[in-house]
Every structure is written in C-alpha cells, then in structure tokens.
Amino acid sequence: MKKTVWTSTVYYVIVSIFAATSLYPILLMLLSSFKSSIEIFKNPLAFPRKFSLDTYKSLLERVPFTDYFLNSVIVSVVSVLLITITCSLAAYYIARFKFYWNNLLFLLFLMGMMIPIKLGIVPLFILMNDLGLINSLWSLIFMYTATGIPLSILILTGFFKTMPVELEEAARIDGASDLRILWNVVLPLMRPALGTVVIINFIQSWNDFFFPLIFITEESKKTIPVGMLSLFGEHSADWGALFAGLTLSSLPMIVLFFIASKQFMDGLTAGAIK
C-alpha cells in the first residue's frame, strides 16, 4: 500500500513539473503582452507593474491585425475542411475497396511525405503566378491542402482498417449506398482520427511562415506570422505589441485543442490499443 502511495506521489510530482514547464512560456507571453518594451527588457520575468491594454491598442493601431487574423482563419479553416473531405473519401476507398492498384495508390500518397516541398518553391511560384494566384489566399489554401493530405491519408487509412466491417455490411444490406455508409456509419466512429487530422493540419497552416512570405505581398492578404513582421523596425521592435499579437493569435489553437484534445489523444493511441 505504501509503495502504491509513494509511486502515485512521484507520478503526480513529475506530471506537475512537466505541466508547469509547459505552461510557463504561455504565462510569460501573456504577462509580457501587458508590458511596454522597456519594462520587458528591465523585468522580463516579473509581473507587469500595472495591467493595461495599451499594448493591444498599439497593436491594432500599428498593423491591420484584424485582417491578418481573418485571413489566417479563412486559410486554416478552408484548408482543414478540404483535407478532411478529400482524405476521408480517399482513405475509405483505399481501406475498403480491394483493387490491385490500392497499395500503389497508398504508396503514391505517402511519397508526398518523402519529398521536401520547399525544394520545389521556384516551380511552385511559377505555377501560382501562371494561375494568377499570387496575392490570393487560394494559393495558401491549395498548398496547405496538398501538403496535409499524405499524413492525413496515413492516419485515416490506418484507422479505417481497424474498424469492423460488419457495421458497414449491415448498413449495405439495408440498402444504404457507400456514401451514406461513410457519412452515417463510419465517420461518426472516426472522430478520434478526424480530431487528430484537424488539429495537426490546423496548427500547420495557422503557424506557417514560409508560404505566406513567398506567395503574399499585399498587406491586406497577409496572415498573422508574416503580418507581425511589420512590428520589427530597422533598429527596434515594439515587443509589447508583438507579445499582444502572439497572445491573440494563440487563442484559436488553445480553444481548438481544448475542444478536440480527447479525440486527438484517442486518435494517437487507437492503433496501439487495438
């Protein structure tokens, strides 16, 4: 009994230390968002002398942060939606319909994970320019959709293969079509895997700096990571406004993770448990 209590105590201490270590940067970012640049350099680890929204006002006055935020939301949500729809259909086909080219098709999708997409940025830029998508949010949406498909196919196909076929056969006997089976029977059971796909791809598209820097030059079309560069001057930077922008930009990811964290953890461990 004593050994069990001692083991639990050590476990909770380790978990508490890890949680505090993980949450401390977020707390430091939040506190710094209420400080001026001078106060950040003088007392970087201390609480602000007074909690003021001046840094947030400065952020909204210096840069069109609302435009950046809206662009990031549009790009991330549309990309994740396209990835979820296309990968659900493709993974269901690969896992359930047996044709001699299924393995080759699955390998073709996985090859997208082996090729560093940034090495082809020059032909990609030429392609986007020929399509008239430079300075368009669709250039980012197409890039994030294409780069997110391989890993999503891998996750969803593996999860599809662990599900019992009997449920689908029963629905098919009742006269349901393949699309209705996918929508009404399979996808409700796929929430852990879908939650994993949504979180991974949302974070990737929300935080990406490279593609918006290449494809977007108009100020009104920039996303948050690139738009925040405007706060850096030639010799100085408004660190208070920068931390305020980082705090606001992190809120959607925090909310999304709290909403879908259970599905995310279940999706990561489903294959091992089953």
Side-chain angles (χ1 to χ4, degrees), residues 19-36 39-48 51 55-56 239-248 250 254:
T21 304
S22 302
L23 294 176
Y24 180 72
I26 299 178
L27 177 62
L28 186 62
M29 177 185 67
L30 178 62
L31 294 177
S32 298
S33 68
F34 295 102
K35 300 178 182 179
S36 62
E39 189 178 357
I40 290 174
F41 282 101
K42 284 185 176 180
N43 301 300
L45 303 180
F47 278 81
F51 287 88
T55 53
Y56 290 89
W239 292 101
L242 179 64
F243 279 110
L246 293 176
T247 302
L248 293 177
S250 64
I254 295 175

Side-chain angles (χ1 to χ4, degrees), residues 126-167:
I126 295 174
L127 176 62
M128 293 297 177
N129 186 52
D130 292 340
L131 294 174
L133 295 179
I134 298 298
N135 286 320
S136 172
L137 296 182
W138 282 107
S139 62
L140 303 180
I141 292 172
F142 289 147
M143 287 304 307
Y144 297 144
T145 302
T147 55
I149 283 177
L151 180 59
S152 302
I153 288 289
L154 177 64
I155 295 173
L156 294 179
T157 302
F159 202 91
F160 270 128
K161 292 182 178 179
T162 63
M163 296 179 60
V165 187
E166 289 76 13
L167 293 174

